[in-house]
């Protein structure tokens, strides 16, 4: 591998490919054990079940309620169609997307700073960051949307750094790629639509800008939007699942909501400690990028694009209600790349910053790993009573039990959609995810039917429905939330199940034992 020996030399294309490959493989070696040991996230089940339903020919919005942009179920559905619905595979696919993001970022840092050391330090900073370890190892939107977003930013950086005498088609192709990849990221998570103006601003203010550059970017974005035409055939459903639901889902008074946002602001800026994020490395990344942006503006320059995008995204995350600390995990790759993209920071200074951040991050890594694989502290929706249920091993046991006791295609009412992901069973319409409860009393009966929701009255009637073949629920949840809902389970019998779980199957004759 040919390494640059001065600030003016660059890596060869072969060297950059080797750096990217090495970063990907090292990231996989570090993140796969963490991912396979990490507790299952509460929302992970509904994302994966949605993907399985897509693999069976059903579509979000049309067939089931899915309060997100539609592309992630299509991605999950694609690999499930090829490899089957399996928790282990889901985690491995997730890690591949996360490691792809890391490899792109690390390679870009090394290339821009012309330093393999900078790239290696960026890699170390990634693999020890608390938010990355916690949220890029589960099959939620964060790793899946971050990869196309990072690809879009790298394409833009390459286009903006093209020399004036470069072949014009190269820059046009890069900007078309940036638009395409940004559109894919938006199709997974709508937040990224807020980055569109800043992309256009940086393209429009670049040297020797031509209308074809903006046009190429927009054309790329338009191509990525073609799959949305299918879902836009029902505009009302598209609106409700992506925005309508989120505009009314919050049930807290404004004063409590404001206090919650202020608390989260203090957590993510390092002014308040929390079990949801370990150490100060993530907050330090934010503050350093604020300094980078401030210095650039003081010099009457635009901040490095990754820094600007990361700060804009950071601000966008405070718009909805409620918000969660995990949102900010997707800012980490942008902030790391921002440090590597500064034009006024010498290589030695960049190395010093990355060394300091890596040591700060490394200090908290053991606590993060212990928290997400052993104690469960700070993981939303996980309690000491339920944490033994939400491991890959226990979920595989539950899936095997359900596949053994129920025939393929039978319908089971599941309190958590993830219990049905790796099975051949069908969920009850309206229980494909757990978010219907936030719409209680906020939508009409007609809207419940149109958008495939559930309500408490319908829940109470579930045990009496003859098309329901079984029920699966956490014992803790049954006692705490559902006694009044599942008030009549006399038509079911219990099956042996892991501790903390209740699995019920409909009795076939009157001689079978009732629920005790």
């Amino acid at each position: 591998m040919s390494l640059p020996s001065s600030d003016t030399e660059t890596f060869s294309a072969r060297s950059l490919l080797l750096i990217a490959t090495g970063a990907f493989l090292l990231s996989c070696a570090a993140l796969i054990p963490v991912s396979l040991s990490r507790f299952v996230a509460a929302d992970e089940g509904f994302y994966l079940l949605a993907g399985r339903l897509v693999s069976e020919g059903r579509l979000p919005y049309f067939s089931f309620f899915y309060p997100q942009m539609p592309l992630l179920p299509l991605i999950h559905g694609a690999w499930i169609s090829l490899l089957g619905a399996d928790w282990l595979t889901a985690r491995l696919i997730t890690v591949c997307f996360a490691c792809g993001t890391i490899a792109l970022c690390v390679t870009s840092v090394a290339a821009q700073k012309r330093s393999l050391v900078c790239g290696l330090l960026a890699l170390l900073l990634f693999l020890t960051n608390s938010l990355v370890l916690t949220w890029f190892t589960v099959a939620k939107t964060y790793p899946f949307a971050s990869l196309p977003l990072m690809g879009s930013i790298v394409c833009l950086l390459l286009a903006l750094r093209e020399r004036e005498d470069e072949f014009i088609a190269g820059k046009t192709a890069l900007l078309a790629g940036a638009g395409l990849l940004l559109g894919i990221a938006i199709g997974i998570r709508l937040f990224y639509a807020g980055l569109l103006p800043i992309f256009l601003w940086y393209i429009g203010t670049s040297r020797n800008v031509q209308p074809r550059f903006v046009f190429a970017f927009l054309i790329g974005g338009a191509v990525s939007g073609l799959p949305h035409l299918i879902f836009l055939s029902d505009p009302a459903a598209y609106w409700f699942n992506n925005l309508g639901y989120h505009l009314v889902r919050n049930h807290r008074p404004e004063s409590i909501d404001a206090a919650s946002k202020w608390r989260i602001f203090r957590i993510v800026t390092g002014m308040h400690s929390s079990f949801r994020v370990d150490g100060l490395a993530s907050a330090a990344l934010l503050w350093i990028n604020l300094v980078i942006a401030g210095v650039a503006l003081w010099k009457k320059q635009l901040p490095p694009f990754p820094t600007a995008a990361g700060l804009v995204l950071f601000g966008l995350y405070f718009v909805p209600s409620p918000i969660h600390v995990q949102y900010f995990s997707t800012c980490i790759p942008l902030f790391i790349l921002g440090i590597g993209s500064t034009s006024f920071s010498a290589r030695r200074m960049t190395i010093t910053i990355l060394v300091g951040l890596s040591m700060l991050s490394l200090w908290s890594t053991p606590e993060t790993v212990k928290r997400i694989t052993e104690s469960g502290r700070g993981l939303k929706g996980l309690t000491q009573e339920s944490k033994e249920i939400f491991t890959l091993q226990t979920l595989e046991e539950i899936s095997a039990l359900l596949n053994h006791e129920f025939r393929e295609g039978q319908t089971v009412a599941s309190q958590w959609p993830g219990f049905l992901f790796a099975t051949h069973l069908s969920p009850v319409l309206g229980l494909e995810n757990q978010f219907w409860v936030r719409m209680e009393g906020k939508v009409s009966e007609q809207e419940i039917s149109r958008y495939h929701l559930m309500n408490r009255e319908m829940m109470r009637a579930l045990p009496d429905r003859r098309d329901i073949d079984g029920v699966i629920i956490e014992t803790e949840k049954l006692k705490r939330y559902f006694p009044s809902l599942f008030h009549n389970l006399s038509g079911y019998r219990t099956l042996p199940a892991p501790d903390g779980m209740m699995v019920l199957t409909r009795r076939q004759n009157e001689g079978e034992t009732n629920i005790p």
Side-chain angles (χ1 to χ4, degrees):
M1 180 169 65
S2 176
L3 300 179
S5 58
S6 73
D7 286 346
T8 58
E9 292 187 31
T10 60
F11 288 102
S12 66
R14 180 174 177 272
S15 296
L16 291 175
L17 180 60
L18 288 174
I19 292 172
T21 303
F24 180 85
L25 294 176
L26 288 172
S27 299
C28 286
L31 293 186
I32 286 176
V34 175
S35 182
L36 298 186
S37 302
R38 190 211 187 279
F39 291 110
V40 174
D43 293 353
E44 203 171 358
F46 107 82
Y47 285 119
L48 290 173
L49 181 61
R52 201 202 85 191
L53 294 176
V54 168
S55 75
E56 296 170 355
R58 299 171 64 182
L59 286 177
Y61 313 163
F62 297 107
S63 305
F64 57 92
F65 173 51
Y66 181 78
Q68 293 280 355
M69 294 291 273
L71 290 193
L72 184 56
L74 303 186
I75 294 172
H76 283 320
W79 68 257
I80 290 171
S81 296
L82 294 173
L83 304 174
D86 176 77
W87 280 101
L88 176 65
T89 306
R91 286 292 178 86
L92 293 176
I93 295 289
T94 297
V95 169
C96 285
F97 274 78
C99 294
T101 303
I102 294 171
L104 278 176
C105 181
V106 166
T107 305
S108 184
V109 169
Q112 291 185 83
K113 288 301 176 183
R114 302 179 178 90
S115 168
L116 181 61
V117 173
C118 286
L120 290 173
L121 288 171
L123 177 63
L124 177 61
L125 182 54
F126 251 115
L127 298 180
T128 56
N129 182 269
S130 172
L131 289 173
V132 170
L133 288 172
T134 304
W135 298 112
F136 276 55
T137 52
V138 292
K140 298 184 64 170
T141 59
Y142 310 124
F144 292 93
S146 290
L147 178 57
L149 178 63
M150 181 58 66
S152 177
I153 290 174
V154 169
C155 284
L156 180 67
L157 291 176
L158 289 172
L160 296 181
R161 291 169 66 91
E162 289 277 3
R163 298 193 304 272
E164 294 181 15
D165 59 346
E166 288 285 354
F167 184 49
I168 202 71
K171 180 176 288 191
T172 303
L174 285 169
L175 291 173
L180 176 69
L181 291 169
L182 177 62
I184 292 173
I186 294 170
I188 296 172
R189 194 157 177 82
L190 186 57
F191 275 114
Y192 298 126
L195 297 178
L196 183 58
I198 193 170
F199 269 86
L200 291 172
W201 179 264
Y202 272 70
I203 295 170
T205 57
S206 62
R207 289 185 304 169
N208 302 314
V209 63
Q210 297 184 22
R212 74 176 71 180
F213 297 158
V214 177
F215 184 70
F217 176 80
L218 294 176
I219 286 295
V223 170
S224 71
L226 292 178
H228 294 262
L229 296 178
I230 299 172
F231 303 98
L232 283 168
S233 62
D234 187 346
Y238 191 90
W239 166 265
F240 179 80
N241 283 269
N242 286 294
L243 285 172
Y245 161 81
H246 298 279
L247 292 174
V248 299
R249 67 172 179 158
N250 190 28
H251 61 277
R252 299 183 299 190
E254 289 185 7
S255 58
I256 294 178
D257 193 51
S260 174
K261 288 185 177 182
W262 172 241
R263 179 175 178 273
I264 288 178
F265 176 81
R266 293 172 62 210
I267 290 172
V268 296
T269 56
M271 295 186 286
H272 180 74
S273 61
S274 170
F275 290 134
R276 299 191 186 279
V277 57
D278 302 299
L280 294 172
S282 297
L285 269 169
L286 165 66
W287 288 109
I288 289 172
N289 274 267
L290 282 169
V291 171
I292 290 172
V295 170
L297 294 173
W298 179 71
K299 291 174 172 281
K300 298 182 179 180
Q301 300 173 359
L302 285 175
F305 182 79
T307 292
L311 294 175
V312 169
L313 190 60
F314 181 88
L316 287 172
Y317 284 143
F318 287 95
V319 174
S321 295
I323 64 172
H324 304 285
V325 170
Q326 59 189 268
Y327 291 177
F328 299 90
S329 63
T330 56
C331 295
I332 301 302
L334 307 188
F335 288 156
I336 292 175
L337 185 53
I339 292 174
S341 301
T342 53
S343 59
F344 48 81
S345 171
R347 183 190 300 173
R348 182 171 297 179
M349 180 183 292
T350 301
I351 290 175
T352 301
I353 293 172
L354 290 173
V355 167
L357 286 171
S358 297
M359 294 302 100
L360 191 62
S361 185
L362 190 61
W363 181 264
S364 62
T365 300
E367 179 58 32
T368 298
V369 173
K370 180 179 179 181
R371 183 170 58 81
I372 64 178
T373 63
E374 296 180 20
S375 71
R377 296 173 72 185
L379 295 181
K380 184 177 175 60
L382 199 69
T383 66
Q384 291 304 304
E385 293 81 9
S386 68
K387 72 176 187 178
E388 296 305 322
I389 296 173
F390 290 97
T391 65
L392 295 188
Q393 179 180 355
T394 303
L395 289 177
E396 288 174 349
E397 292 177 10
I398 293 172
S399 300
L401 169 67
L402 294 175
N403 283 333
H404 179 266
E405 296 292 342
F406 294 91
R407 297 189 306 275
E408 183 175 353
Q410 286 191 299
T411 300
V412 171
S414 179
Q415 157 244 321
W416 182 64
F419 292 137
L420 300 182
F421 161 61
T423 72
H424 53 223
L425 304 176
S426 297
V428 173
L429 184 65
L431 293 182
E432 294 91 350
N433 65 62
Q434 63 270 36
F435 302 117
W436 63 268
V437 71
R438 295 179 181 175
M439 292 291 99
E440 185 74 19
K442 296 180 179 180
V443 291
S444 66
E445 291 186 8
Q446 182 181 5
E447 289 172 319
I448 289 174
S449 175
R450 178 171 186 178
Y451 302 131
H452 313 296
L453 300 172
M454 178 67 65
N455 62 23
R456 292 181 185 274
E457 183 179 350
M458 295 166 66
M459 285 285 287
R460 291 189 186 96
L462 284 181
D464 297 324
R465 283 174 46 179
R466 301 305 300 176
D467 62 328
I468 304 297
D469 301 296
V471 175
I472 179 168
I473 188 171
E474 295 172 62
T475 306
E476 175 193 4
K477 295 291 194 302
L478 179 64
K479 294 177 180 177
R480 183 178 301 180
Y481 300 115
F482 293 100
S484 61
L485 301 183
F486 289 102
H487 63 287
N488 179 21
L489 294 174
S490 60
Y492 296 81
R493 62 181 176 86
T494 56
L495 297 172
D499 291 342
M501 292 299 304
M502 181 175 286
V503 180
L504 312 171
T505 182
R506 183 174 293 281
R507 294 191 295 119
Q508 299 302 313
N509 57 68
E510 295 299 325
E512 293 189 65
T513 305
N514 288 344
I515 300 299

